[in-house]
Amino acid sequence: MTLDLVIRNARLADGASPVDIGIACGRVATIAPGLKADARELDAGGGRLIRGFADSHLHLDKACLLDRASNPTGTLKGAIEAVSAAKRDFTTEDVYARGARVLEKAIGQGTNLVRAQTEIDPVIGLAGFDAVRQLKADYAWALDLQICVFPQEGLLNYPGTEDLLRQALDQGADLLGGCPYTDTDPNGQIARLFDMAREYDVDLDFHLDFDLDPGWRHLDEVARQTIAHGMQGRVAIGHVTKLSMLPARALDDTIALMRDAGIALTVLPATDLFMMGREHSEAIPRGVAPAHRFHAAGVCCTVATNNVLNPFTPYGDCSLPRIANLFANIAQIGDPAGLSACFDMITTAPNRLLGRDDRIVEGDVADLVLLPCDDAVSAVSEIARPLWGMKAGRLTFDAPRPTLLRPALVPA
């Protein structure tokens, strides 16, 4: 067999013996120990090879805004208002430049699959969507990008928004999102979005229940509509910080509800931890949904970046191992099984949610990322920085281990 590249000494699973991977024409041609081939070689050094990290919830259009939008209160309301004001001056070129900055961070952190949440309304029009659509094309050499268009500031209360959402779907948006808590008629928005999703045959991804009051929620209506429309397995909800305040029995009931409705959960630790509990002066609640409980019960559950360097989250480097590590800290997870589950929530689960199998098998496209460790636990506990990545067999970034420059030995 003629190979273009052989990756030596790579581990494809925790505890597995190192194997060699032969790449030909951008695909995994063969997997075996001791491959003999006259081809270029990369030594993985016993590191863990994965299909890549998947970020199931990332805002490119409103990233990197700290130079023009501030949120002194740190609240959700303050963040929405700050971005809403800044959005009036957004252009396609501006959104593209800021989005490219974030995507390049993500690529260098080993992410090669992204769901980009993109705002649509009469103020921004399709400028943000046009920019993200161009980013999708221009960065296809390094990652696959899904575009989720959604009405951040309401749908039924904001005339013209639905027409713009439809235009974006007609022009190639991959799925539809929602934000019921900003609408004057939350249940009406949910119903309208389900009707549109069925009309266009696309999945749904909601920003949902983003506060700490467990006395009411929109999750139940989303679950009801999911079942009524036969969309089990095609609906995701993000944030859902209310879940962090539920007592044990109510949480168990909610887990069962979501599992039965086939609804995926995306938890966004950096944003949720930063924004929730601002009204408390002591015993401040973390405000981060217990993703590990849902994951353990069989719900498709992911942790993701959300925002980068803006009024919602004034920090971020697009490292998903860092986000998984942050979640593990918040949830007080330290056992190997729990840390491995956190790794699953940035690899296997978001890949599945976004429609990709994360197993490395012969015949598949060679989208690969090498980690400087040999297991999932180390990747999360040590916030592993990937060493290199490739898409279709072509290297997309290289970040070798640091070289320590020890002082020269001085003769006695």
Side-chain angles (χ1 to χ4, degrees), residues 191-386:
R192 184 70 58 85
L193 291 172
F194 269 96
D195 288 343
M196 290 176 63
R198 288 299 304 272
E199 179 183 345
Y200 282 89
D201 191 23
V202 296
D203 292 356
L204 283 167
D205 193 336
F206 288 92
H207 295 65
L208 205 69
D209 292 343
F210 197 5
D211 61 69
L212 299 180
D213 180 2
W216 62 272
R217 64 185 188 184
H218 298 136
L219 169 57
D220 300 285
E221 180 63 14
V222 169
R224 189 186 72 79
Q225 293 272 5
T226 299
I227 294 169
H229 285 84
M231 289 189 65
Q232 295 92 329
R234 302 192 65 179
V235 177
I237 56 176
H239 294 293
V240 206
T241 49
K242 288 178 184 289
L243 298 177
S244 69
M245 304 299 288
L246 294 181
R249 183 168 180 176
L251 182 64
D252 289 342
D253 290 344
T254 300
I255 291 171
L257 172 70
M258 289 182 58
R259 185 177 57 231
D260 293 346
I263 297 174
L265 172 65
T266 295
V267 177
L268 307 160
T271 300
D272 300 346
L273 185 64
F274 176 72
M275 307 201 82
M276 292 295 100
R278 292 280 177 166
E279 66 278 16
H280 294 257
S281 59
E282 61 277 319
I284 301 171
R286 294 183 175 96
V288 176
H292 56 305
R293 294 284 307 278
F294 288 81
H295 176 84
V299 174
C300 181
C301 190
T302 73
V303 293
T305 300
N306 195 41
N307 282 291
V308 177
L309 302 173
N310 75 3
F312 292 85
T313 318
Y315 27 69
D317 60 359
C318 295
S319 165
L320 283 172
R322 182 180 68 80
I323 293 294
N325 176 280
L326 175 61
F327 176 78
N329 271 268
I330 296 165
Q332 300 177 323
I333 295 170
D335 63 290
L339 291 170
S340 182
C342 290
F343 185 78
D344 286 347
M345 288 187 281
I346 58 172
T347 53
T348 303
N351 270 286
R352 183 167 77 249
L353 177 63
L354 273 62
R356 184 173 75 175
D357 188 334
D358 76 326
R359 293 174 299 176
I360 299 172
V361 297
E362 293 179 358
D364 275 358
V365 176
D367 294 350
L368 305 170
V369 170
L370 178 66
L371 302 179
C373 52
D374 59 11
D375 60 30
V377 170
S378 298
V380 174
S381 62
E382 300 178 29
I383 314 181
R385 173 71 186 263

Side-chain angles (χ1 to χ4, degrees), residues 50 52-55 109-113 320-321 343 346-347 356 371 386:
I50 63 174
F53 297 117
D55 202 325
Q109 297 284 7
T111 296
N112 56 21
L113 181 59
L320 283 172
F343 185 78
I346 58 172
T347 53
R356 184 173 75 175
L371 302 179

Side-chain angles (χ1 to χ4, degrees), residues 18-254:
V19 294
D20 299 339
I21 297 95
I23 309 296
C25 300
R27 292 186 173 273
V28 177
T30 185
I31 301 173
L35 280 179
K36 298 187 182 301
D38 183 16
R40 183 167 64 93
E41 296 187 0
L42 279 175
D43 185 3
R48 183 80 142 79
L49 198 67
I50 63 174
R51 281 292 301 271
F53 297 117
D55 202 325
S56 60
H57 192 119
L58 179 62
H59 293 264
L60 299 175
D61 52 343
K62 57 189 181 191
C64 306
L65 287 176
L66 294 181
D67 61 337
R68 70 185 88 167
S70 63
N71 179 14
T73 66
T75 63
L76 175 62
K77 181 175 182 290
I80 291 175
E81 289 175 350
V83 173
S84 180
K87 192 162 56 177
R88 298 187 184 101
D89 297 323
F90 284 5
T91 64
T92 298
E93 294 74 20
D94 168 54
V95 173
Y96 182 97
R98 290 183 287 103
R101 179 180 168 188
V102 172
L103 284 184
E104 289 175 13
K105 287 177 182 288
I107 292 164
Q109 297 284 7
T111 296
N112 56 21
L113 181 59
V114 169
R115 175 173 287 178
Q117 304 282 342
T118 307
E119 295 185 20
I120 301 286
D121 60 47
V123 171
I124 184 65
L126 296 181
F129 167 71
D130 290 340
V132 175
R133 183 173 55 171
Q134 191 61 50
L135 288 166
K136 177 177 180 175
D138 290 352
Y139 283 88
W141 57 271
L143 53 75
D144 296 316
L145 193 151
Q146 292 182 359
I147 305 175
C148 177
V149 291
F150 80 103
Q152 171 72 79
E153 299 181 46
L155 175 62
L156 302 184
N157 58 300
Y158 210 158
T161 300
E162 180 174 337
D163 288 342
L164 289 165
L165 288 169
R166 289 179 176 277
Q167 289 179 47
L169 289 167
D170 289 338
Q171 294 176 31
D174 298 288
L175 69 156
L176 187 61
C179 195
Y181 58 81
T182 63
D183 207 301
T184 53
D185 181 1
N187 285 349
Q189 180 186 124
I190 293 167
R192 184 70 58 85
L193 291 172
F194 269 96
D195 288 343
M196 290 176 63
R198 288 299 304 272
E199 179 183 345
Y200 282 89
D201 191 23
V202 296
D203 292 356
L204 283 167
D205 193 336
F206 288 92
H207 295 65
L208 205 69
D209 292 343
F210 197 5
D211 61 69
L212 299 180
D213 180 2
W216 62 272
R217 64 185 188 184
H218 298 136
L219 169 57
D220 300 285
E221 180 63 14
V222 169
R224 189 186 72 79
Q225 293 272 5
T226 299
I227 294 169
H229 285 84
M231 289 189 65
Q232 295 92 329
R234 302 192 65 179
V235 177
I237 56 176
H239 294 293
V240 206
T241 49
K242 288 178 184 289
L243 298 177
S244 69
M245 304 299 288
L246 294 181
R249 183 168 180 176
L251 182 64
D252 289 342
D253 290 344
T254 300

